[in-house]
Amino acid sequence: MPPVKPMLAKSVAKIPPGMHYEAKWDGFRAIVFRDGAEVELGSRTGKPLTRYFPELVEAVRERLPERCVVDGEIVIAREGHLDFDALTERIHPADSRVRTLADRTPASLVAFDLLALGDESLLGVPLADRRAALVTALSGVTAPVHVAPATDDIEVARRWFEQYEGAGLDGVVAKPLDLRYRQDERAMYKIKHERTADVVVAGYRLHKSGPVVGSLLLGLYDDRGVLQHVGVSAAFTMKRRAELVEELEPLRMDDVRGHPWAAWAEESAHETSRLPGAPSRWSGKKDLSWVPLRPERVVEVAYDHMENGARFRHTARFRRWRPDRTPESCTYAQLEEPVRYDLAEILGGP
């Protein structure tokens, strides 16, 4: 019975030897419960995802064992590549919209662990045995349910790390072969791609605790010479947050007029440009206001990968100021594009 909290992973710099390796999927983590006709899709936070993916509920009834609990990832693939934007669109309050998107952008379930089968809990069983049970229980399963590819060969894992990014995957997960399932603990290891880019600091948001920097707003120039908002950098100590306010004060603009992102509050402007504070159902009543800066300072940040080639998928990490770079030189052209890789090659299906 739900809830079951998923086992988590800690970040490490290199792929550790002597373990079980899988790709790191870029989707919604889900604990899937099936008891006959009853199906529940539980999120990482414990909140149900069931109503947002009716096509997966039906697929689980048809393809998973009669009574089981499976750990996996909900993903959406488009043109052989994972599409996280399409996935987030599925979390919608209107049932009619959910049904429409279920037909237009159907989701898949990638299963990578088996936590219960029939009357037996497998939480205390070593990973190697759980994996064997998963492969047996889902033998012959068909799309949209897949068994995650796995290997014990570190050289194969290294090859996956390089190749699979081209299909939109995050990196590699390593798990000790004797690992029991430890709910809500960082007992696995994740190895993610990290690159650096020089970006323009064009504003900042205040921290919730007071008049210090909460996050820097970052931009890159597109091929039209337009500064596009590509993400934020936010992990600072409180001391550093206060220092940043002083450092950036000479660039502070009293009025957003004249700033490249002056139209940020107009919903229609977000249709043609990437601007901070895009209104959405996610933001609700959240304060999206920000302090505009003259876009004259350049910072080097570390990032894992881009979402649809347009913005940082996760919060970028501040590395250093780059006084030797001009803002105009901070373009998308500097970004490394991973070699395209067809997701079907990974999942082994059409």
Side-chain angles (χ1 to χ4, degrees), residues 66-338:
E66 183 77 11
R67 299 181 64 233
C68 64
V69 180
V70 170
D71 190 359
E73 195 100 356
I74 297 173
V75 299
I76 287 179
R78 301 175 95 176
E79 299 179 353
H81 194 270
L82 294 183
D83 189 335
F84 192 79
D85 275 354
L87 192 63
T88 60
E89 290 174 3
R90 296 294 302 274
I91 311 301
H92 198 282
D95 185 66
S96 58
R97 180 63 174 168
V98 168
R99 298 283 172 179
T100 297
L101 291 176
D103 291 332
R104 185 182 302 169
T105 55
S108 297
L109 173 68
V110 182
F112 45 71
D113 210 337
L114 183 63
L115 310 187
L117 184 62
D119 292 329
E120 183 182 4
S121 170
L122 303 178
L123 298 179
V125 173
L127 170 68
D129 295 334
R130 294 201 310 275
R131 172 71 189 188
L134 174 72
V135 171
T136 300
L138 272 63
S139 175
V141 75
T142 58
V145 178
H146 307 269
V147 176
T151 182
D152 296 344
D153 187 334
I154 192 170
E155 293 305 321
V156 173
R158 287 169 177 158
R159 187 166 67 248
W160 287 356
F161 185 78
E162 298 300 329
Q163 291 181 334
Y164 283 7
E165 185 187 14
L169 278 73
D170 260 351
V172 168
V173 174
K175 308 175 182 180
L177 288 163
D178 61 353
L179 180 64
R180 273 66 172 172
Y181 199 89
R182 290 152 55 182
Q183 295 185 54
D184 207 28
E185 291 187 37
R186 296 194 179 275
M188 307 180 294
Y189 304 94
K190 58 185 177 183
I191 307 90
K192 301 177 68 174
H193 298 273
E194 180 173 283
R195 298 178 173 84
T196 61
D198 296 326
V199 294
V200 181
V201 177
Y204 65 84
R205 288 199 176 94
L206 292 172
H207 195 265
K208 59 184 179 182
S209 66
V212 296
V213 168
S215 60
L216 300 176
L217 305 185
L218 312 175
L220 285 173
Y221 284 96
D222 63 18
D223 54 11
R224 301 172 297 161
V226 177
L227 187 66
Q228 302 284 2
H229 177 54
V230 294
V232 301
S233 181
F236 305 105
T237 64
M238 290 306 294
K239 179 175 181 291
R240 185 64 181 132
R241 294 181 190 279
E243 292 171 349
L244 284 170
V245 171
E246 295 184 18
E247 289 180 37
L248 297 172
E249 183 60 30
L251 300 176
R252 183 166 179 162
M253 300 172 64
D254 294 329
D255 195 315
V256 75
R257 285 177 294 182
H259 191 281
W261 299 337
W264 74 278
E266 301 172 16
E267 187 170 355
S268 60
H270 294 268
E271 297 174 5
T272 55
S273 297
R274 291 201 170 274
L275 306 171
S280 73
R281 62 184 179 276
W282 302 101
S283 54
K285 297 181 180 180
K286 184 178 179 181
D287 183 8
L288 299 176
S289 60
W290 51 283
V291 177
L293 301 174
R294 296 197 309 277
E296 298 173 6
R297 292 204 74 175
V298 175
V299 64
E300 179 184 329
V301 297
Y303 68 98
D304 43 24
H305 69 276
M306 303 294 291
E307 180 66 36
N308 293 330
R311 67 172 187 272
F312 298 132
R313 170 73 176 83
H314 302 105
T315 301
R317 296 165 292 286
F318 185 101
R319 287 293 181 256
R320 55 176 175 150
W321 293 114
R322 290 297 304 267
D324 56 320
R325 291 291 301 267
T326 63
E328 294 75 21
S329 70
C330 298
T331 68
Y332 282 97
Q334 70 181 295
L335 303 178
E336 179 184 349
E337 287 292 327

Side-chain angles (χ1 to χ4, degrees), residues 4-6 28-31 33 41-49:
V4 170
K5 294 183 178 181
F28 289 165
R29 184 74 175 275
I31 305 293
F33 303 83
L41 309 179
S43 71
R44 174 173 169 171
T45 61
K47 296 180 180 179
L49 294 168

